[in-house]
Amino acid sequence: MFPYNQSRPRRNRKNPAVRAHIQEHHLTVDRLMYPLFLVQGEGVKEEVSSLPGNYRWSLELLLTEIESCMNLGLQSFVLFPAVPEDFKDKVASYSYAEENFYLHALRRIKEEFPEACLMTDVAMDPYSSDGHDGLVDEYGQILNDETLPILSKMALAQAQAGVDIIGPSDMMDGRVAHIRQTLDQAGFGHTSIMSYTAKYASAFYGPFRDALDSAPKAGDKKTYQMSPANSREALIEGRLDAAEGADYLMVKPALPYLDIIALLNQNFELPIAAYNVSGECAMLSAACEKGWLDFEKAMPEMLMSIHRAGAKVILSYFAKAYAEMAKAGKIKF
């Protein structure tokens, strides 16, 4: 005979209605941002082989995809350009060129969908012939301070295209302050900055680099991205970004760094974002394709774990699938 126990947690799990009363976290579609890959040209919808269900889109077809997402209640997007090699150089000059197809697309999207929240990527790697996020010298070193004016030009060009949020993903020291000052002086004080605050030198970026063909031509990114072994270093980065004017602090990747999401959430008043990166999504998709996991159960659980850890905003390649399930009433815990 068990001793009498007045506290019985199972009583609050006895049926769906009672479980709903005490559910602590609710991940709604408006917390999600959908990463999309843009290419130059017409009529292009090309699946990324290492990231099933995700595509490289030309602009007209991308507009159709965004409209489809908006109809599901998904209204936040982050755009990444797949830039032809011919447009790349050592100083990423195409990133702020007037003829840049990415900037043209940003303007068109905001014209077609002014109510959409549009975020961009600020880093040299999509436009750099070296494939690094910063300027590379003749000895292969990444030059921090010399990179900042390039990033600021890029950010200003994106702000002028009408975007809502600038996303510096480069991990150069001081870039948030440099970009913030540039935007403010040019009259774009309303443009937000979502800083990639704790961006780790991770093995989970592979499918993304396949999508954009943006891997470094030599070396790696360990001199500017964070070591996976470090957590307290994220607090240093967070304090700097907050002081420099960031509006959001992001952790990337998400799943292997749930503790970092929680750490930043506990220590900062700014909203914490997390990037559920390509490798995380590709792993789950592959397991589901094999029949080892049930996508409609595992995918929402994955995203909920990120939200539960403290992420107020989640960038995920599963954002549209989650929105479709939510609209169909299939999100249940």
Side-chain angles (χ1 to χ4, degrees):
M1 186 81 180
F2 289 108
Y4 185 69
N5 181 0
Q6 290 183 315
S7 180
R8 293 280 179 164
R10 283 191 58 193
R11 282 198 287 263
N12 286 343
R13 302 174 194 149
K14 62 189 172 189
N15 62 46
V18 172
R19 290 195 293 274
H21 292 165
I22 65 163
Q23 183 169 321
E24 298 175 32
H25 299 277
H26 295 81
L27 178 57
T28 52
V29 173
D30 53 12
R31 297 286 186 177
L32 301 178
M33 296 189 77
Y34 191 21
L36 295 165
F37 302 118
L38 175 73
V39 296
Q40 195 176 37
E42 297 181 2
V44 180
K45 180 185 176 181
E46 181 181 36
E47 189 170 34
V48 181
S49 60
S50 54
L51 192 58
N54 290 266
Y55 301 86
R56 301 177 190 89
W57 303 87
S58 55
L59 178 56
E60 295 300 327
L61 294 181
L62 181 63
L63 291 171
T64 301
E65 174 70 356
I66 290 174
E67 182 178 20
S68 171
C69 292
M70 298 285 284
N71 290 335
L72 295 168
L74 177 59
Q75 56 185 7
S76 294
F77 308 91
V78 53
L79 231 64
F80 296 97
V83 179
E85 284 295 323
D86 291 349
F87 295 171
K88 299 180 182 182
D89 59 29
K90 288 189 70 65
V91 296
S93 59
Y94 185 71
S95 66
Y96 48 85
E98 180 132 359
E99 67 275 14
N100 185 328
F101 73 91
Y102 180 63
L103 298 175
H104 168 72
L106 297 174
R107 291 189 189 92
R108 180 73 185 282
I109 293 167
K110 289 301 288 185
E111 287 170 4
E112 294 281 338
F113 306 103
E115 70 278 24
C117 175
L118 199 58
M119 175 174 160
T120 53
D121 177 59
V122 173
M124 286 183 62
D125 58 330
Y127 311 96
S128 166
S129 52
D130 293 300
H132 275 283
D133 293 20
L135 190 62
V136 182
D137 72 9
E138 58 187 309
Y139 307 106
Q141 302 299 309
I142 311 301
L143 302 176
N144 191 95
D145 293 4
E146 292 84 348
T147 298
L148 303 185
I150 299 171
L151 300 177
S152 290
K153 286 182 183 179
M154 191 186 310
L156 179 57
Q158 294 171 0
Q160 290 168 336
V163 302
D164 303 279
I165 303 173
I166 300 293
S169 63
D170 56 287
M171 289 297 287
M172 298 295 119
D173 293 339
R175 89 277 202 206
V176 172
H178 205 287
I179 290 170
R180 183 74 273 159
Q181 183 177 35
T182 299
L183 293 178
D184 290 353
Q185 289 178 347
F188 291 94
H190 60 280
T191 304
S192 303
I193 296 176
M194 182 184 290
S195 173
Y196 286 59
T197 295
K199 182 178 180 181
Y200 284 85
S202 173
F204 287 90
Y205 302 147
F208 177 92
R209 291 175 181 170
D210 290 344
L212 299 186
D213 190 23
S214 62
K217 300 297 188 293
D220 56 39
K221 300 191 176 188
K222 292 182 179 181
T223 66
Y224 48 100
Q225 294 179 357
M226 287 176 53
S227 167
N230 293 353
S231 57
R232 293 179 63 83
E233 187 180 6
L235 294 174
I236 298 172
E237 293 284 1
R239 283 193 292 269
L240 289 169
D241 286 355
E244 291 176 19
D247 300 288
Y248 306 74
L249 306 179
M250 187 203 291
V251 177
K252 181 183 179 183
L255 283 184
Y257 300 94
L258 295 176
D259 60 320
I260 308 302
I261 297 170
L263 183 67
L264 294 189
N265 187 53
Q266 290 160 7
N267 283 276
F268 296 96
E269 296 300 320
L270 291 174
I272 306 304
Y275 200 145
N276 180 213
V277 300
S278 60
E280 299 168 38
C281 296
M283 284 194 307
L284 180 60
S285 295
C288 294
E289 185 180 351
K290 288 285 188 181
W292 297 337
L293 294 174
D294 182 326
F295 182 79
E296 291 195 348
K297 294 178 180 177
M299 182 272 286
E301 183 179 346
M302 172 187 279
L303 295 184
M304 178 58 80
S305 75
I306 300 168
H307 183 51
R308 190 187 65 242
K312 303 299 187 292
V313 181
I314 301 173
L315 291 72
S316 177
Y317 300 94
F318 293 143
K320 186 180 183 184
Y322 190 94
E324 289 170 338
M325 288 182 61
K327 189 165 187 178
K330 293 182 178 180
I331 304 295
K332 293 183 173 68
F333 292 96

